[in-house]
């Protein structure tokens, strides 16, 4: 690859000074003249029919300017997730939500909303709404919800009782034959918890309706363009009359708002349309916990056939996820779970079946990793069980079976590069793998080391559609405006995209400005998710930059009387490659062109391929055998990211993912009581890792360049937690010899397991 | 609702604002004084996004009644540096990649500042302790701790001069 001067450098992030000064604007900071505050009334029941709703008292309450419920909002079905705008036929999107419905399906479901002059008045007013409910039978467990006596949440589903969308089936080779060839067959089922994104800024939207009917929505969405379509469709407006944008920052996402920000946008919009004034809807933390998507809980079963030497001959997987009350991403997540689960190891005979099941709980949706962490907890735990049984080193069995470029797999794109072996070797060295099992015995605190490997995607295709566009405009002074539809939710998107633009154009980084995440100033982009921005949006930006560059060189070639092919742009100068004396500053070229009636405008329109990033996680833990407390001592994450455009941003992504992975493994879970109420609905009841819980972290960047990206990039946004939980679980097994088939592995569970082991 | 005039020294300047008895200091700062740099992540004293410094101590402004700040010296993220001269913590948070979404950042910086104002040679443990009440869901805390260490060093050499 050509030497780069901006790509690969830790330039100052474009958003960081603003954010450090408290000057960056988030949706929750917006205040407009005459703005009202919206508050939502939520269901106390997990499943009920609204027999009667009387909003008259609330309407009369002084300061109240709008009250909305199912009676006066559009009866248009939708899906809050961006998938509904991008399901590829013959599959059909599952649209099972209204802004408000006459049936509520989980505790926290929307019943009505009020807009008032102040938040206090809005809060008083929702208490004045009288609702008469008829309680309906409810079901909370996906296995129960498939039984014939279970209540139907959304009527008959074509694939089975309470099953949204299509069941997923993937197959290659002959699984039964593979199991016959095996010397040993292993089968285990693993149970996964509900994890919450817990992004720091709650779901929020501000809607403003102009006198001409045009609507502007500032919101926390990770996908302004798809959200524009969802909102325009609900309210029956031309897409061009609905502007969705970030203001421009979002306080985190981790998947929770790929599509709408729960229902903040449509509720703010419905209220604003009725009040004819701007309305701000900000979920409080409890609402964010109980009434916006979570990671899917569920069950994953893995059956693997193995030869004595550790070669995998067959693998059969089944994924069963709890969809919660509405589909959201529940049709796609089981697919990613299976596809990722089957794509880390070479195995000629593989099969996957999976689907989700509706229950009366908070909807499961997208969260960093999107099914993959669920898959890999199961797979990587089982690989260690197999290694233990066959007396193999956990690293050897992985190296022996790991996927390599050119191997056959279930995915429709090719694996063209892999640095996985390097990841495993470097990670093993960093964790001191050779010392595994050699630590002193006898103490009540037992140390152990474990590993987990994995892969992921670099965009959303083939699980849903994916494409990107970008514009590059060269100003008359040679500075550049880059327009891209993707948000920057803290992942450094605008900085890395600007780096790629500057590098491609041969201009300095400080000459680039970015307009982003705004349906009015940027072309369509499916948004920030699926670890795709640096890869897919990046390819579009490079295409736009190359298009602009071609126009510049064509123009300059005439001026300089040199063939276009002999020209290059370097350091803001157009120069002849073989005769660098011959040069023109870019600002001169741009202003000359301007005086002759030409502006250089580059357009990039791309449909990305896809590429697997690779990763190996290593954990060292210390288990206190007297209390059951697990302390993670060190985590190493070696990741093949293809090319780190900005290494510091990449490390930051990995550290953040690791921290969420520690939480997934050891402490984070939303549980329910038998009334369908969420028991962990705030930060004090939901155990997020804080600074004192974080061990030594080591992020190792491996760069096996990816041929399908101009700079060799692969995705990294989600990979940091794909294999963290199994690495920790495997380390715990190494420390105390106890295998956990369920996460989070809490102090209490470990303590009980230690007692049981003693009593055996 | 009954209102009273709140007087305080905000970022070094005296201010007066009419506030309600049940307003929190966070409401007063964000809504009445337009200082939106201080964030609200929970409103219950559980996340630290609203951390400000009152009379030298880091507090969660979402659980402090506004009137409790009467005559107090209050510092917010807006008051500790300028674009021309960032506070050492702002400088190092930027340079060490300690900022991702940025929503926890103001509170995190204020917690760290309260520590460094008293102790410019903190241990790693003291830093962790100082920010233990500040949730960051993006960074995994490592780069934040490194940034605070580096700011402490900057402040040591500034004070040494
Ligand atoms: S907003 Fe004050 S602690 Fe969370
Ligand atoms: S940077 Fe996003 S929460 Fe800390």
């Amino acid at each position: 690859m050509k030497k780069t001067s901006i790509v690969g450098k830790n330039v100052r992030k474009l958003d960081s000074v603003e954010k450090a000064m408290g000057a960056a604007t988030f949706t929750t900071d917006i205040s407009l003249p005459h703005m009202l505050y919206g508050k939502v009334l939520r269901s106390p029941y997990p499943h009920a029919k609204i027999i009667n709703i009387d909003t008259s008292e609330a309407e009369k309450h002084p300061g109240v300017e709008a009250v909305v419920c199912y009676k006066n909002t559009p009866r248009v079905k939708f899906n809050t997730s961006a998938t509904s705008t991008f399901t590829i036929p013959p599959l059909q999107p599952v649209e099972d939500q209204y802004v408000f419905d006459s049936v509520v399906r989980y505790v926290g479901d929307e019943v009505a909303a009020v807009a008032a002059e102040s938040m206090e008045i809005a809060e008083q007013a929702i208490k004045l709404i009288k609702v008469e409910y008829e309680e309906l039978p409810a079901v909370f467990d996906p296995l129960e919800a498939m039984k014939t006596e279970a209540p139907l949440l959304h009527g008959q589903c074509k694939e089975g009782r309470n099953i949204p969308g299509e069941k997923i089936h993937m197959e290659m080779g002959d699984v039964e034959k593979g199991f016959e060839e095996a010397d040993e067959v292993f089968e285990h089922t693993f149970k996964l918890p509900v994890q919450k994104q817990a992004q720091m800024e709650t779901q929020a939207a501000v809607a403003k309706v102009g006198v001409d009917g045009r609507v502007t929505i500032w919101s926390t969405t990770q996908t302004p363009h798809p959200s524009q379509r969802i909102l325009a469709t609900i309210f029956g407006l031309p897409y061009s009359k609905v502007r969705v944008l970030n203001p421009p920052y979002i306080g985190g996402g981790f998947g929770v708002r790929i599509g709408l920000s729960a229902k903040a946008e449509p509720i703010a919009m419905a209220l604003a349309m009725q009040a004819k004034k701007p309305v701000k809807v900000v979920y409080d933390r409890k609402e964010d916990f109980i009434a916006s998507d979570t990671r899917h809980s569920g069950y994953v079963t893995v059956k693997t056939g193995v030869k004595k030497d550790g070669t995998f001959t067959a693998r059969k997987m089944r994924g069963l996820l709890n969809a919660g009350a509405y589909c959201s991403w529940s049709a796609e997540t089981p697919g990613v779970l299976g596809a990722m689960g089957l794509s880390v190891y070479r195995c000629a005979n593989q099969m996957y079946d999976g689907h989700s099941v509706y229950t009366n709980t908070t909807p499961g949706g997208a969260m960093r990793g999107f099914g993959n962490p669920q898959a890999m907890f199961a797979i990587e735990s089982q690989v260690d069980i197999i290694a233990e049984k066959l007396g193999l080193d956990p690293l050897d069995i992985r190296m022996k079976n790991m996927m390599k470029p050119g191997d056959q797999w279930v995915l429709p794109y090719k694996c063209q590069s892999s640095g996985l072996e390097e990841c495993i070797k470097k990670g093993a060295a960093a964790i001191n793998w050779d010392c595994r099992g050699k630590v002193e015995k006898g103490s009540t605190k037992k140390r152990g080391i474990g590993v987990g490997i994995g892969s992921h995607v670099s965009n959303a295709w083939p699980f849903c559609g994916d494409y990107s566009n970008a514009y590059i405009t060269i100003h008359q002074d040679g500075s550049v405006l880059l327009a891209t539809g993707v948000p920057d939710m803290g992942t450094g998107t605008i900085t890395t995209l600007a780096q790629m633009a500057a590098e491609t154009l041969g201009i300095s980084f400080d000459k680039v400005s970015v307009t982003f995440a705004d349906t009015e100033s940027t072309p369509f982009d499916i948004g920030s998710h699926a670890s795709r921005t640096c890869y897919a949006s990046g390819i579009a930006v490079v295409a736009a930059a190359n298009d602009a560059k071609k126009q510049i060189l064509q123009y300059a070639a005439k001026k300089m009387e040199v063939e276009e092919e002999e020209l290059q742009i370097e350091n803001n100068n157009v120069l002849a490659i073989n005769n660098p004396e011959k040069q023109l500053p870019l600002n001169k070229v741009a202003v000359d062109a301007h005086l002759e009636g030409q502006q250089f405008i580059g357009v990039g329109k791309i449909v990305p391929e896809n590429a697997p990033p690779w990763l190996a996680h290593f954990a060292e833990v210390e288990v206190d055998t007297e209390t059951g407390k697990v302390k993670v001592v060190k985590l190493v994450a070696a990741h093949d990211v293809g090319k780190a455009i900005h290494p510091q941003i990449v490390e930051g992504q990995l550290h953040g993912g690791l921290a969420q992975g520690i939480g997934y493994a050891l402490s984070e879970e939303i549980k329910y009581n038998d009334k369908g109420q969420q028991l962990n609905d705030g930060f004090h009841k939901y155990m997020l890792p804080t600074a004192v819980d974080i061990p030594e972290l080591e992020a190792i960047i491996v760069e096996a360049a990816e041929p399908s990206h101009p700079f060799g990039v692969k995705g990294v946004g989600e990979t940091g937690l794909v294999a963290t939980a199994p690495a920790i679980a495997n380390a715990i097994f190494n420390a105390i010899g106890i295998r956990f088939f369920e996460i989070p592995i809490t102090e209490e569970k470990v303590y009980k397991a230690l007692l049981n082991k003693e009593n055996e | 609702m009954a209102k009273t005039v709140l007087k305080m020294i905000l970022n070094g300047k005296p201010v007066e604002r009419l506030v309600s008895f049940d307003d929190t200091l966070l409401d007063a700062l964000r809504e009445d004084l337009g200082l939106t740099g201080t964030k609200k992540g929970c409103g219950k004293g559980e996340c630290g996004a609203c951390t400000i410094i009152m009379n030298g101590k880091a507090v969660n402004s979402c659980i402090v009644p506004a009137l409790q700040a009467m005559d107090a010296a209050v510092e917010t993220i807006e008051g500790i540096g300028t674009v021309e001269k960032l506070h050492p913590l702002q400088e190092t948070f930027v340079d060490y990649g300690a900022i991702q979404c940025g929503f926890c950042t103001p509170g995190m910086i204020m917690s760290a500042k309260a520590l460094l104002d008293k102790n410019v040679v903190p241990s790693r443990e003291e830093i962790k302790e100082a920010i233990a009440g500040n949730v960051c869901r993006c960074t995994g805390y490592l780069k934040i701790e490194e940034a605070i260490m580096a700011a402490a060093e900057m402040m040591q050499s500034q004070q040494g001069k």
Side-chain angles (χ1 to χ4, degrees):
Chain A
M1 191 151 294
K2 219 179 108 225
K3 224 176 132 339
T4 57
S5 59
I6 301 166
V7 156
K9 295 257 151 47
N10 290 332
V11 296
R12 184 171 265 208
K13 281 165 71 185
L14 292 175
D15 55 343
S16 58
V17 173
E18 254 185 297
K19 287 176 174 176
M21 295 186 65
T25 308
F26 295 82
T27 303
T28 39
D29 299 330
I30 291 179
S31 177
L32 301 173
H34 310 296
M35 188 177 83
L36 306 174
Y37 297 81
K39 184 73 193 166
V40 180
L41 176 68
R42 299 186 175 279
S43 169
Y45 300 110
H47 201 187
K49 217 167 131 182
I50 298 174
I51 302 294
N52 192 28
I53 180 162
D54 176 3
T55 56
S56 55
E57 289 297 312
E59 282 158 29
K60 278 187 260 163
H61 193 63
V64 169
E65 305 223 9
V67 182
V68 289
C69 66
Y70 74 90
K71 290 182 183 168
N72 59 353
T73 46
R75 298 302 291 164
V76 175
K77 278 192 165 175
F78 64 96
N79 181 326
T80 52
S81 79
T83 175
S84 56
T85 69
F86 233 139
T87 309
I88 303 171
L91 297 181
Q92 288 302 315
V94 179
E95 296 183 314
D96 57 9
Q97 279 177 287
Y98 295 103
V99 184
F100 299 98
D101 197 1
S102 55
V103 175
V104 285
R105 297 179 177 84
Y106 70 96
V107 173
D109 207 351
E110 291 79 12
V111 174
V114 165
E117 277 165 18
S118 72
M119 197 54 178
E120 294 74 54
I121 298 175
E123 276 166 4
Q124 290 157 7
I126 57 165
K127 293 190 190 126
L128 300 175
I129 298 173
K130 293 191 202 88
V131 192
E132 214 180 297
Y133 297 97
E134 177 193 316
E135 280 189 68
L136 300 171
V139 60
F140 309 117
D141 182 82
L143 295 167
E144 293 297 316
M146 288 191 296
K147 294 184 180 161
T148 42
E149 64 274 19
L152 286 173
L153 270 81
H154 294 279
Q156 294 297 341
C157 300
K158 66 176 184 303
E159 294 273 16
R161 202 163 181 88
N162 285 322
I163 296 177
E166 327 269 334
K167 285 184 173 173
I168 309 282
H169 177 80
M170 294 173 208
E171 192 174 344
M172 61 183 264
D174 181 339
V175 189
E176 291 319 316
K177 191 171 132 264
F179 283 121
E180 276 163 30
E181 287 165 6
D183 294 323
E184 299 228 30
V185 175
F186 297 80
E187 183 168 355
H188 304 96
T189 295
F190 298 84
K191 185 162 180 254
L192 291 312
V194 175
Q195 188 182 24
K196 191 73 192 113
Q197 296 84 352
Q199 76 298 338
M200 282 303 288
E201 186 182 28
T202 58
Q203 307 285 23
V206 177
K208 185 179 136 203
V209 183
V211 281
D212 56 358
R214 283 161 46 102
V215 182
T216 305
I217 315 265
W218 292 265
S219 90
T220 47
T221 178
Q222 294 175 225
T223 60
H225 288 274
S227 293
Q228 173 194 47
R229 171 165 151 193
I230 300 171
L231 293 168
T233 307
I234 295 173
F235 291 93
L237 294 168
Y239 298 3
S240 62
K241 304 281 183 204
V242 178
R243 178 186 189 185
V244 179
L245 70 162
N246 297 147
Y249 297 117
I250 317 173
F254 315 114
V256 78
R257 31 213 180 197
I258 306 173
L260 303 182
S261 308
K263 284 196 200 157
E265 291 95 342
I267 292 173
M269 206 163 150
L271 289 167
M273 287 170 123
Q274 200 188 96
K276 304 211 162 33
K277 284 184 184 170
V279 175
K280 179 174 183 174
V281 171
V282 177
Y283 281 31
D284 65 27
R285 182 55 65 182
K286 179 172 173 180
E287 290 180 287
D288 197 89
F289 262 96
I290 70 171
S292 78
D293 290 5
T294 69
R295 185 190 295 291
H296 287 92
S297 60
Y299 303 89
V300 176
T301 303
V302 191
K303 182 175 171 187
T304 305
V306 200
K307 289 271 192 208
K308 275 205 188 69
D309 68 355
T311 309
F312 299 156
T313 60
R315 173 162 283 150
K316 207 168 167 179
M317 252 180 108
R318 181 171 153 73
L320 183 76
L321 298 179
N322 187 346
Y326 298 96
C327 181
S328 186
W329 290 96
S330 290
E332 289 78 10
T333 312
V336 176
L337 191 162
M340 294 299 109
L342 297 187
S343 299
V344 176
Y345 294 105
R346 180 178 57 248
C347 180
N349 309 299
Q350 309 209 56
M351 188 193 282
Y352 171 77
D353 285 285
H355 62 82
S356 305
V357 190
Y358 285 128
T359 65
N360 297 102
T361 59
T362 302
M367 180 174 170
R368 199 178 209 169
F370 203 96
N372 195 356
Q374 290 95 319
M376 294 322 288
F377 175 66
I379 298 265
E380 286 300 273
S381 294
Q382 193 188 58
V383 169
D384 260 37
I385 295 171
I386 296 169
E388 171 84 12
K389 180 83 194 293
L390 300 183
L392 296 168
D393 182 283
L395 293 189
D396 293 341
I397 192 169
R398 288 178 169 85
M399 294 275 221
K400 186 181 190 69
N401 291 289
M402 71 187 179
M403 193 69 69
K404 296 209 173 98
D407 287 341
Q408 241 204 327
W409 63 1
V410 292
L411 294 161
Y413 51 91
K414 284 205 263 322
C415 168
Q416 303 192 62
S417 62
S418 171
L420 181 56
E421 187 169 339
E422 192 181 336
C423 290
I424 295 177
K425 287 185 173 153
K426 288 197 164 148
I431 203 85
N432 262 326
W433 184 263
D434 293 340
C435 294
R436 184 172 176 268
K438 290 194 192 125
V439 274
E440 89 286 9
K441 308 267 167 198
S443 155
T444 54
K445 295 195 171 150
K446 305 273 184 219
R447 289 226 169 180
I449 291 177
V451 64
I453 65 171
S455 175
H456 201 58
V457 294
S458 300
N459 68 77
W461 177 76
F463 306 102
C464 69
D466 197 302
Y467 71 94
S468 276
N469 300 298
Y471 302 150
I472 292 270
T473 306
I474 314 286
H475 289 296
Q476 292 149 38
D477 66 350
S479 66
V480 168
L481 178 68
L482 160 61
T484 167
V486 287
D488 188 335
M489 52 180 173
T491 54
T493 313
I494 53 171
T495 303
T496 46
L497 293 180
Q499 282 178 281
M500 288 189 255
E503 186 75 53
T504 308
L505 284 165
I507 61 165
S508 42
F509 179 69
D510 60 10
K511 289 205 188 294
V512 186
S513 279
V514 189
T515 178
F516 59 103
D518 176 356
T519 57
E520 225 161 69
S521 67
T522 69
F524 182 90
D525 192 293
I526 181 171
S528 181
H529 58 96
S531 305
R532 66 180 295 284
T533 59
C534 210
Y535 180 84
S537 305
I539 299 175
V541 166
V542 172
N546 277 325
D547 185 25
K549 187 172 166 184
K550 186 164 176 47
Q551 296 166 33
I552 296 166
L553 297 185
Q554 266 171 1
Y555 179 85
K558 273 189 274 155
K559 288 272 148 179
M560 296 165 76
E561 295 174 344
V562 184
E563 289 300 310
E564 186 192 328
E565 295 69 38
E566 286 168 27
L567 288 176
Q568 187 51 272
I569 312 176
E570 271 172 32
N571 297 325
N572 311 301
N573 285 310
V574 181
L575 48 85
I577 298 164
N578 297 321
N579 183 10
E581 245 88 290
K582 232 179 172 174
Q583 55 171 278
L584 269 183
L586 181 58
N587 56 2
K588 173 98 175 74
V589 177
V591 78
D592 283 353
H594 161 73
L595 294 172
E596 287 174 24
Q598 189 186 351
Q599 183 173 35
F600 308 121
I601 302 175
V603 179
K605 306 198 247 184
I606 66 99
V607 181
E609 297 179 47
N610 208 333
W614 297 98
L615 58 102
H617 286 184
F618 292 83
E620 181 174 0
V621 302
E622 185 180 87
V623 184
D624 185 333
T625 52
E626 289 183 321
T627 63
K629 185 160 178 52
V630 176
K631 184 174 151 205
V632 183
V633 180
K634 181 169 179 173
L635 273 182
V636 175
H639 284 235
D640 168 19
V641 301
K643 169 77 192 170
I645 301 293
H646 190 295
Q648 186 189 63
I649 290 177
V650 171
E651 286 164 13
Q653 287 304 302
L654 297 180
H655 293 161
L658 290 173
Q660 291 179 355
I662 294 173
Y664 192 46
L666 299 179
S667 63
E668 292 182 31
E669 179 172 23
I670 293 184
K671 289 191 195 169
Y672 287 79
N673 66 15
D674 59 0
K675 297 190 184 65
Q677 292 162 328
Q678 301 85 343
L679 297 175
N680 315 81
D681 56 6
F683 286 139
H684 272 186
K685 299 185 211 155
Y686 182 82
M687 294 301 152
L688 289 171
T690 67
V692 288
D693 303 309
I694 302 298
E696 184 185 346
L697 302 177
E698 187 172 341
I700 298 172
I701 296 174
V702 168
E703 296 182 317
E706 169 58 35
S708 61
H709 185 283
F711 290 107
V713 163
K714 304 171 192 178
V716 71
E718 298 167 276
T719 54
L721 56 56
V722 163
T724 318
I728 291 173
N730 289 340
I732 293 173
F733 180 82
N734 183 235
I736 56 173
I738 296 174
R739 173 63 54 189
F740 290 89
F741 293 88
E742 187 182 333
I743 45 175
I745 307 171
T746 58
E747 196 167 334
E748 191 188 336
K749 278 186 204 155
V750 178
Y751 183 74
K752 281 191 186 146
L754 285 163
L755 276 187
N756 285 344
K757 195 182 171 198
E758 244 172 58
N759 296 339
E760 258 165 28
Chain B
M1 208 164 294
K3 295 215 172 193
T4 300
V5 177
L6 163 66
K7 296 183 197 173
M8 57 181 169
I9 307 294
L10 178 58
N11 295 324
K13 292 199 192 99
V15 295
E16 294 189 4
R17 270 295 181 292
L18 213 51
V19 299
S20 304
F21 281 103
D22 53 0
D23 276 354
T24 65
L25 184 52
L26 178 64
D27 295 334
L29 290 170
R30 285 182 58 85
E31 313 291 333
D32 301 322
L33 290 150
L35 293 181
T36 54
T38 305
K39 300 298 178 208
K40 182 173 178 175
C42 70
K44 288 179 150 187
E46 300 179 356
C47 76
C50 63
T51 308
I52 53 127
I53 298 179
M54 189 161 94
N55 293 334
K57 268 187 64 184
V59 294
N60 288 328
S61 63
C62 72
I63 48 168
V64 174
L67 289 171
Q68 206 164 300
M70 189 70 88
D71 299 325
V74 169
E75 281 176 83
T76 70
I77 189 71
E78 289 92 346
I80 66 166
T82 61
V83 190
E84 296 74 32
K85 194 172 173 356
L86 293 173
H87 186 277
L89 280 161
Q90 292 172 316
E91 193 84 45
T92 56
F93 266 61
V94 168
D95 289 343
Y96 282 73
I99 303 171
Q100 289 189 26
C101 81
F103 207 80
C104 72
T105 308
M108 201 63 91
I109 288 182
M110 295 314 281
S111 286
K113 181 171 185 292
L115 170 72
L116 300 189
D117 283 348
K118 294 209 173 68
N119 174 8
V120 274
V121 281
S123 67
R124 193 65 174 242
E125 290 317 307
E126 285 170 321
I127 289 175
K128 281 182 185 274
E129 221 30 71
I131 60 167
N134 292 78
V135 175
C136 174
R137 192 56 158 164
C138 298
T139 64
Y141 304 98
L142 179 58
K143 290 186 184 295
I144 289 175
E145 290 167 21
E146 288 170 353
I148 298 172
M149 284 298 243
E153 275 164 34
M154 267 174 86
M155 288 166 76
Q156 285 161 32
S157 61
Q158 280 173 8
Q159 289 177 4
K161 263 178 222 156

